[in-house]
Each structure stands twice: as structure tokens, then as C-alpha cells.
Amino acid sequence: MTKDWPALVERAERTHRLTEEELASLLAEPATEEAMALAADRVRAAFVGDAVHLRGLIEFSSFCRRNCHYCGLRRENEKAGRYRLTPEEIVALAEKARGYGYHTVVLQSGEDGWFTAERLADVIRAVKRLDVAVTLSVGERPIGDYRAWRDAGADRFLLRIETTDRALYERLHPGMSYDERRRCLRDLKRLGYEVGTGCLVGLPGQTIDSLARDVLFFQAIDADMVGIGPLVPNEDTPLKGAPPGDMGLVRRMVAAIRLLLPEANIPATTAMETLSPGARERILRSGANVVMPNVTEGEARRLYALYPGKACVADTPEECRFCMAARVKALGRFIGADKGFRRRRANPAPPEKTAAGD
Ligand code: SAH
Ligand code: SF4
């Protein structure tokens, strides 16, 4: 641990640059946390302001062809209850989300082949008529599908890299390839989506150095949004025995991401709140500026169980909306009144190419 970490934090706040070694030394040291969070909060205020953007999350299918080791929706989890909303049900939830005042709808699911490019494109076209931004989070697809959805009006896509440690990635994602994941992210960027990515914190075998490389990767690909989550171990998955992700480390990661990607949209995620009640506010004061309240209703809301104990699962979408409004106000911030696209400053400093980048 470098003794001079305050100088590193100060330089990161000023230049938005750190080397892998510098980043790793900050992430490794719990004593840096408050200073990093305060610096990240100042950068957040200067670059993206006091608005907190709310994105209404619709979890529209729990069918998944993948087998990710950490996730309750993995295909080999026979205990997972499977459901699929109809296109009409999805559009009806999007209308409600619009009614709650959300300006973005996030359509998320397992990798469900029932939703062909055309079927999902029809849903996107219908949702776009509501004058909302549409974010997709439906996993890996051929570029043709991504193009069809972009043509139908989709604005953003969330696809976490999960980890930039190739060997760890391939161990935790049987039958998937790190290069294919990268191909998807590249295609999405080329097609003009705002691209969100991110990682899990606390994967067995993950190191601090690899987390530092994750942050540099987000910077190198110029991610528009970066969502990270602590691992929440799921009893019905191969990672059932793993310890949960360290929330202090998660907070240092969020702060580091804000310091290095000052313009990015960064959510305080449900997984954080699940592990540590109150985390949403703490993370919103440590660099984050986005929350994704769940607007899924009824059985589906309970059955979309990536991990157990999901925060707010027993609340109704309407309760969530009032609850979030009060929480944001209590922070002295306000709810964004527009679609909350990434705002670029006049003269953005291009991120340096690194080994992790394109
Ligand atoms: N199928 C799509 C979208 C749904 S999964 C996809 O994989 O991209 C969305 C995110 O949930 C994943 O990116 C993963 O990071 C997160 N996730 C899954 N299981 C989790 C767990 N046990 N703890 C924390 N986050 C988890
Ligand atoms: Fe499927 Fe996504 Fe879960 Fe992997 S993380 S099993 S792709 S829902």
C-alpha cells in the first residue's frame, strides 16, 4: 500500500487517470474509502449534476439458455420458476412505468429464444410510442438482432463483461467465450447504442488486480453506463458456498469508476441494497446517479430470482416509486426529468488505449 494514497485520490479527481497499479493499491485499502467516495461525489456533481435518473425495470422472461455459475436463472436450476410475459403484458407494464413518471424502460430477461429479433422489435416499437428511452438487457445475440432492435428504436443496451479475467470468465460461463462477449459489446457500440457494462465483485478467484483491470476496461471502451454488483450467493447454483461480495470494496469500485469515467451513468443496484440495507443512498453519495426501480408485477416479480432476498421484492411498483422519490429528496438531490442520456462535455479527453481496450 502506497503511503501517499491521498495524493493518488487527488490526482484521480483532477485528471481522471490512474495506472493499474495505482488503482489496485486504492481498491485494496479500506482506509481509502471515505476519501474516494467524497472525491467521486464531487466529480459526480461536476460532470452529471444532482439529478438521479430512474429507469423502470421490466423483467419479462426468466427462461435462459445459459448456465452462468452464479445466477438463479441458469438453465440447470430446476428449482427456478419459469415465466414469460406476453408482448401485450410487457407493453402494459411499460405504460405503467411511464405513468409513474419514468423516462426510461429497461427490458431485461434471461437469454430466451422465444423472443426472436422480430418479436422483440415489435415490443420495442410499441414501447417507443410512449416517448420513453428503451434499454435492452437480454444477453448475447448476433449483430443482425442488435441491428433490428436498434432500427426499431432501442436506445441503450446493458451487457456486463462480468469480469475481464478471461480464464475466470470462461470458468464461470460454461459454453461461453470471452471474445464473443467482447464482440457483442463492440457491435453494440458500432450500432450506436449507449452501451452499459459492468462486473460482479466477489467472484471466487477474482483478484484486486483484475478488478483494477475491469475499471480500466470500462474506461478503454468508453462505456456510457457502468453497473456493478456484489455477488449475492444463490443456494441453487454452483456458487452457493461462496461468501457475498464485500460492500466496502463495491463502494471503492463505484468511486473509482466515477473518478475514471466522470461522465458515465452509474447505478446504485438492487444487489447492493440486498446485501446491505441503505446501500442505495450510500452508493448514490459515492459517485452513482441512477436507480432502476423494478416495475415488474405479481408472480413474475418474485420468480425473477437471479439471487435470493432481492430488495423490495415484496413492495409494489407504486410503493417503490414513492419510496425512491422520498429517498432521493432526502439526499438533497432531484429526480431527472428527462431521458437521462449520457451527457458529453465539450472537450472530452479520449481514454487512453490499454491492453484491455479495443
Ligand atoms: N441475461 C442477461 C440479463 C439478466 S442477468 C445477462 O446476463 O446479461 C443481469 C445481471 O445479473 C448479470 O449481468 C449478472 O451480473 C447479475 N447477476 C446474476 N446473478 C447474480 C448473483 N447471484 N449476484 C449478483 N448479481 C447477479
Ligand atoms: Fe442467464 Fe443472464 Fe443469468 Fe447468465 S446471468 S444465467 S445469461 S439470466
Side-chain angles (χ1 to χ4, degrees):
M1 176 66 198
T2 161
K3 279 196 292 304
D4 207 14
W5 61 259
L8 281 186
V9 175
E10 185 275 323
R11 179 151 54 81
E13 181 175 351
R14 197 164 31 83
T15 66
H16 315 298
R17 295 265 198 285
L18 286 174
T19 66
E20 182 186 322
E21 292 69 27
E22 290 167 342
L23 250 176
S25 74
L26 289 177
L27 293 173
E29 181 49 63
T32 64
E33 193 167 316
E34 291 308 320
M36 282 183 81
L38 285 170
D41 198 45
R42 288 190 292 270
V43 171
R44 186 272 308 153
F47 281 76
V48 296
D50 282 345
V52 174
H53 299 289
L54 302 183
R55 326 284 203 200
L57 175 66
I58 301 176
E59 300 157 333
F60 68 90
S61 169
S62 68
F63 285 91
C64 190
R65 68 188 176 113
R66 301 296 194 184
N67 224 359
C68 309
H69 274 199
Y70 40 81
C71 178
L73 301 191
R74 62 199 306 272
R75 68 167 184 268
E76 282 177 18
N77 181 13
E78 287 168 4
K79 292 199 190 148
R82 307 288 174 177
Y83 71 89
R84 176 182 293 129
L85 302 186
T86 64
E88 295 72 28
E89 287 170 328
I90 300 171
V91 176
L93 284 179
E95 276 166 7
K96 286 192 176 178
R98 186 71 190 85
Y100 302 142
Y102 300 151
H103 301 285
T104 293
V105 166
V106 182
L107 302 178
Q108 191 180 80
S109 68
E111 292 200 14
D112 180 0
W114 188 87
F115 283 95
T116 58
E118 205 36 53
R119 277 186 176 140
L120 193 54
D122 287 343
V123 173
I124 293 163
R125 274 187 286 269
V127 174
K128 283 300 289 182
R129 284 187 210 110
L130 304 170
D131 187 28
V132 288
V134 169
T135 303
L136 301 177
S137 175
V138 300
E140 297 184 14
R141 291 284 191 130
I143 189 170
D145 292 14
Y146 290 155
R147 186 177 292 118
W149 298 334
R150 180 86 186 118
D151 290 346
D155 302 279
R156 311 192 182 103
F157 202 105
L158 307 181
L159 186 74
R160 290 182 178 170
I161 191 74
E162 314 291 2
T163 173
T164 56
D165 177 333
R166 177 188 292 269
L168 180 61
Y169 180 90
E170 296 189 349
R171 206 155 61 236
L172 293 173
H173 302 95
M176 296 173 77
S177 111
Y178 182 74
D179 288 331
E180 183 62 8
R181 196 76 167 178
R182 295 284 313 277
R183 189 276 301 163
C184 291
L185 288 168
R186 260 194 308 272
D187 284 350
L188 291 164
K189 232 345 175 200
R190 281 191 193 126
L191 289 167
Y193 284 91
E194 279 200 350
V195 173
T197 188
C199 63
L200 283 164
V201 175
L203 293 168
Q206 191 177 42
T207 62
I208 291 282
D209 288 347
S210 108
L211 286 170
R213 284 191 290 273
D214 291 353
V215 178
L216 292 177
F217 170 77
F218 306 146
Q219 191 181 41
I221 69 165
D222 192 25
D224 300 298
M225 191 269 215
V226 184
I228 68 165
L231 174 73
V232 186
N234 187 322
E235 273 305 302
D236 304 325
T237 68
L239 295 197
K240 62 180 167 210
D246 169 349
M247 275 302 298
L249 181 54
V250 165
R251 185 157 171 247
R252 299 197 290 287
M253 278 291 284
V254 168
I257 292 163
R258 174 59 70 200
L259 291 172
L260 267 64
L261 290 90
E263 303 172 337
N265 283 320
I266 302 178
T269 59
T270 308
M272 298 172 185
E273 185 72 17
T274 299
L275 278 191
S276 167
R280 234 172 342 220
E281 280 93 334
R282 208 153 53 247
I283 295 294
L284 283 172
R285 299 168 89 151
S286 309
N289 68 323
V290 169
V291 178
M292 296 162 64
N294 190 349
V295 301
T296 318
E297 294 183 0
E299 270 292 275
R301 190 175 174 97
R302 189 177 59 79
L303 292 179
Y304 194 84
L306 306 170
Y307 47 78
K310 202 164 68 169
C312 311
V313 76
D315 301 336
T316 66
E318 207 145 26
E319 285 165 345
C320 282
R321 167 231 194 166
F322 287 115
C323 169
M324 273 323 304
R327 286 169 188 243
V328 167
K329 199 162 169 224
L331 291 173
R333 310 258 283 274
F334 61 91
I335 291 175
D338 57 19
K339 296 191 177 75
F341 284 106
R342 172 179 177 182
R343 272 194 282 157
R344 286 182 187 274
R345 304 255 292 196
N347 293 305
E352 275 161 19
K353 301 278 179 199
T354 72
D358 281 325

